[in-house]
Amino acid sequence: MSKKLFIETLGCAMNVRDTEHIIAELNKHQSYSQTQTLEDADLIIINTCSVREKPVAKLFSELGVFNKKKKIGAKIGVCGCTASHLGDEIIKKAPYVDFVVGARNVSKITDAVLKKGTVEIDINNDETNYDFADYRNSLYRSSINISLGCDKSCTFCIVPATRGDEISIPSQMILNEIQKAVDSGAVEVFLLGQNVNNYGKHFSDKTETTNFTQLLQLISKIEGVKRIRFTSPHPLHMDDEFIEEFASNPKISKQIHVPLQAGNTRVLKDMKRGYTKEWFLNRCEKIRTLVPDVRISTDIIVAFPGESDEEFLDTLDVMEKVKFDAVFNFKYSPRPLTPAQNMPNQIDDATATKRLQRVIELHKEHQDEHMAKLVGQTLEVLFEELKPNGEVFGFSDNYIQVFVNGSEELLGKIVKVKVTSASRTSLKGEVV
Ligand code: SAH
Ligand code: F3S
């Protein structure tokens, strides 16, 4: 009889993909069905994120609750970046945790489940040639890792310490995986890595030379692939060749994440981001010139140590100039294992809150401006979900949520839709 798995996923798209891999691997040896009811589960897994300070206490209090509620004999595992970071400390503090598997050790999950007390957190583990079993959350979208880890050392970021050095996955493995996904109904591929456009710099096999632009070209030759997306590219590696491929390849979704972090060049230098305000603006301008209907999203951190009021204005200035379509905004959060936590001039929370508020307010203006312009336009939408109220939901080519009245016949298809109304974050329309 199949066992029941309760799995909670926190954090980024890579974690969502790791969860798919965890489910696929577990099913190799023992069939699991998923449950949302903790009390029913035979196996409980938390796939954690550590990029910002969700106090570790929160993980432990959640673990305590899970331990009380779980049925007798159920196992509890902790996976992901906090597992990599804390390792066996987790079992010391919460001895009822059965196993700990880090973000770089997903291939070890089946053995870990079988052996109480397993801690697998080696960040040098090379999984680039490991053939993970298949499983995906979405019928139509297939998420594919193209690299593991990160070769940067942004001074605020814990990721290189939890996911290890960057290694590129062999292009042939990526292409095979995509072909398999397409054969089983996927139409969109979502390429994942911490710096996708740095792809190809760190193969374990030193004879391979494919770079990111070439990888995009190879993937777009696969017949069943209708739409290609990726996250996250790094502004530093946005050379002209890459931007021109992004602009001219009709299969590439016209939405791009260009993570700013801060607008001031001195602050960027302290963050070790490797680019200046001018370079960032120049890249965004080139993207908007070549792709007028592009949507640009970004990440912004306010109140990095030492950021003065005047320097913060550069962040608002970049926002005014680029008018981002989506902004993920964060207060700087000091993280263990990072240089920025020990920098002088840490900024007080009241200042950080004020700055964050200004970012949010300005962004709302830009969002409203962009969304209002879309009413009356015709967009290409890939439909993926039938809602209980009879609406069908999908994403446009430039990745805006779109709702229409329709039936399941639309699912998995790319269809032209005329936009009839817009809210701040989604559109309604009619199939034309
Ligand atoms: N390579 C990824 C970054 C992963 S972390 C990318 O470029 O998207 C995701 C985002 O979390 C970062 O872009 C940054 O904006 C934010 N972040 C990382 N560390 C942080 C910290 N210490 N405090 C606040 N935000 C942070
Ligand atoms: Fe983090 Fe910078 Fe890498 S934000 S994931 S160290 S590019």
Side-chain angles (χ1 to χ4, degrees):
M1 208 181 75
S2 99
K3 291 201 170 187
K4 290 200 170 141
L5 168 69
F6 174 96
I7 185 160
E8 176 183 69
T9 309
L10 308 168
C12 64
M14 310 333 117
N15 256 21
V16 174
R17 179 58 178 153
D18 289 345
T19 288
E20 290 181 335
H21 277 155
I22 289 171
I23 294 168
E25 287 297 303
L26 289 172
N27 276 311
K28 267 183 178 173
H29 293 304
Q30 158 84 58
S31 143
Y32 282 92
S33 57
Q34 285 178 65
T35 175
Q36 310 294 328
T37 312
L38 191 98
E39 291 83 347
D40 288 348
D42 301 285
L43 177 58
I44 297 164
I45 292 178
I46 312 182
N47 194 6
T48 59
C49 169
S50 57
V51 81
R52 276 169 297 279
E53 183 185 13
K54 291 236 173 91
V56 174
K58 201 184 155 201
L59 170 68
F60 288 101
S61 69
E62 186 166 46
L63 281 171
V65 172
F66 285 8
N67 185 43
K68 274 204 194 108
K69 284 192 180 170
K70 72 171 191 178
K71 73 178 184 192
I72 293 168
K75 291 182 180 172
I76 301 185
V78 178
C79 298
C81 284
T82 307
S84 308
H85 167 209
L86 295 179
D88 56 9
E89 257 183 66
I90 296 176
I91 297 189
K92 278 194 200 127
K93 276 202 191 157
Y96 48 82
V97 168
D98 291 278
F99 59 90
V100 174
V101 173
R104 187 66 174 250
N105 313 86
V106 180
S107 60
K108 305 283 197 293
I109 190 79
T110 32
D111 291 342
V113 172
L114 296 176
K115 203 161 142 238
K116 183 157 175 70
T118 301
V119 177
E120 288 283 359
I121 53 162
D122 175 11
I123 59 163
N124 295 314
N125 185 38
D126 182 354
E127 292 185 330
T128 50
N129 280 294
Y130 184 82
D131 198 6
F132 282 100
D134 290 332
Y135 173 81
R136 62 175 191 268
N137 293 326
S138 158
L139 281 174
Y140 310 114
R141 177 179 311 112
S142 170
S143 300
I144 311 264
N145 292 340
I146 66 165
S147 57
L148 306 177
C150 181
D151 77 345
K152 303 283 177 290
S153 35
C154 303
T155 52
F156 52 79
C157 184
I158 195 175
V159 172
T162 60
R163 289 190 174 262
D165 290 341
E166 186 168 310
I167 319 189
S168 313
I169 294 177
S171 59
Q172 197 51 53
M173 277 190 74
I174 297 170
L175 296 171
N176 291 347
E177 198 178 341
I178 293 175
Q179 186 63 58
K180 264 203 261 173
V182 161
D183 291 344
S184 64
V187 265
E188 176 179 304
V189 295
F190 187 24
L191 309 174
L192 300 177
Q194 298 299 335
N195 291 301
V196 280
N197 52 343
N198 198 37
Y199 176 80
K201 302 245 172 74
H202 307 282
F203 289 113
S204 335
D205 169 4
K206 300 293 172 222
T207 60
E208 168 141 33
T209 57
T210 319
N211 68 22
F212 187 57
T213 304
Q214 291 162 339
L215 182 70
L216 290 172
Q217 288 162 348
L218 290 169
I219 294 172
S220 54
K221 288 203 186 102
I222 298 177
E223 209 178 307
V225 172
K226 300 270 193 289
R227 189 185 268 180
I228 303 170
R229 295 174 56 232
F230 47 81
T231 205
S232 283
H234 194 296
L236 178 65
H237 302 300
M238 291 194 176
D239 53 25
D240 287 350
E241 189 198 32
F242 162 73
I243 295 180
E244 282 154 22
E245 180 66 24
F246 172 77
S248 63
N249 186 328
K251 288 194 178 180
I252 299 180
S253 162
K254 297 302 180 256
Q255 181 269 333
I256 190 163
H257 191 64
V258 194
L260 169 66
Q261 314 301 0
N264 178 269
T265 298
R266 192 203 62 78
V267 175
L268 287 168
K269 200 162 176 220
D270 271 9
M271 289 177 160
K272 281 210 184 159
R273 288 292 290 175
Y275 51 85
T276 59
K277 176 184 180 186
E278 288 68 33
W279 168 262
F280 187 93
L281 286 172
N282 172 281
R283 296 295 85 188
C284 290
E285 196 186 313
K286 182 160 176 107
I287 295 169
R288 285 232 195 262
T289 307
L290 293 185
V291 191
D293 58 355
V294 71
R295 276 174 64 83
I296 302 182
S297 59
T298 199
D299 289 344
I300 288 176
I301 298 178
V302 301
F304 181 78
E307 183 187 60
S308 68
D309 285 338
E310 207 182 330
E311 287 170 333
F312 167 65
L313 295 180
D314 278 317
T315 297
L316 298 180
D317 187 46
V318 173
M319 288 180 72
E320 285 287 12
K321 293 194 162 103
V322 180
K323 292 191 197 281
F324 296 107
D325 297 84
V327 174
F328 302 91
N329 47 67
F330 312 109
K331 282 186 208 172
Y332 166 71
S333 163
R335 306 305 297 123
L337 312 172
T338 64
Q341 66 169 332
N342 300 319
M343 286 181 179
N345 304 321
Q346 302 275 327
I347 310 245
D348 62 276
D349 190 56
T351 306
T353 304
K354 265 191 235 152
R355 290 184 189 169
L356 193 72
Q357 211 45 45
R358 290 186 71 181
V359 167
I360 292 170
E361 289 306 319
L362 182 58
H363 175 52
K364 278 186 194 158
E365 286 173 27
H366 296 157
Q367 263 180 315
D368 290 345
E369 207 177 298
H370 286 302
M371 295 299 272
K373 276 193 208 143
L374 292 167
V375 177
Q377 287 193 19
T378 300
L379 305 175
E380 296 207 332
V381 179
L382 168 57
F383 286 103
E384 53 186 74
E385 200 184 327
L386 187 60
K387 296 282 178 190
N389 65 358
E391 285 184 329
V392 193
F393 159 79
F395 284 97
S396 66
D397 176 58
N398 52 7
Y399 233 65
I400 312 174
Q401 298 185 31
V402 181
F403 294 84
V404 297
N405 289 324
S407 68
E408 62 222 336
E409 274 167 38
L410 290 172
L411 297 178
K413 297 197 181 113
I414 296 182
V415 177
K416 283 196 165 52
V417 171
K418 185 161 184 202
V419 178
T420 52
S421 68
S423 76
R424 190 166 280 154
T425 53
S426 70
L427 300 171
K428 282 199 178 183
E430 288 163 0
V431 173
V432 291

